[in-house]
Amino acid sequence: MVTEVGRTSYRSACILLQPNQSLSLSGNLWVFISLVAVSLGISIAFALAGAWMILPFASLELLLLAVLFGYVYLEGTRREVIRISGERVVLDCCRGHRQQSVYHREFARDSLAVLVRMGAAQASPPR
């Protein structure tokens, strides 16, 4: 999602680029907890029926699911801020709740060129 945060004049602007995160942290936790409950319920029922070897595989499945949910949420908190001023263009890439900058780069505005490549097909987005 591209959002123009502030424009003070014709030659300065601030643009915020962030992924569209449709589910909050609490929503992600509810989905994860419900999947854990269903998986544990089924695996415990099989273990009580005598197939106890399903428990290690169910726990590995839940561990992998937790790691993937965490990774997807962390990638969803990624932000890129482009600040354009009279003579400088500043790019900051942030990740996480605290929005710590993991990448900071400054460019001189007069020597900067932006290249937009159109997608190969009509439905593919430009880069």
Side-chain angles (χ1 to χ4, degrees):
M1 182 178 346
V2 178
T3 308
E4 186 175 2
V5 177
R7 178 180 288 272
T8 57
S9 69
Y10 176 71
R11 293 189 46 87
S12 67
C14 184
I15 302 168
L16 176 66
L17 302 152
Q18 62 187 359
N20 186 11
Q21 191 174 11
S22 60
L23 201 58
S24 66
L25 178 61
S26 62
N28 278 330
L29 286 176
W30 277 108
V31 170
F32 177 71
I33 289 170
S34 64
L35 288 174
V36 166
V38 168
S39 180
L40 280 180
I42 292 171
S43 61
I44 288 174
F46 272 96
L48 291 175
W52 59 270
M53 278 301 293
I54 198 167
L55 290 176
F57 294 106
S59 62
L60 283 175
E61 173 190 7
L62 294 177
L63 178 67
L64 179 65
L65 191 65
V67 168
L68 291 177
F69 261 80
Y71 176 75
V72 167
Y73 184 74
L74 186 65
E75 285 298 313
T77 60
R78 208 172 16 129
R79 306 284 183 267
E80 295 178 3
V81 180
I82 302 171
R83 291 183 193 92
I84 303 169
S85 65
E87 65 274 346
R88 309 284 307 160
V89 175
V90 179
L91 172 66
D92 283 320
C93 298
C94 307
R95 175 176 281 153
H97 285 298
R98 290 185 231 151
Q99 298 298 317
Q100 295 174 341
S101 180
V102 294
Y103 180 78
H104 177 82
R105 188 75 189 252
E106 294 188 20
F107 304 97
R109 186 171 179 176
D110 56 352
S111 64
L112 181 67
V114 178
L115 175 65
V116 178
R117 293 185 185 160
M118 299 308 289
Q122 186 176 5
S124 60
R127 293 183 283 158

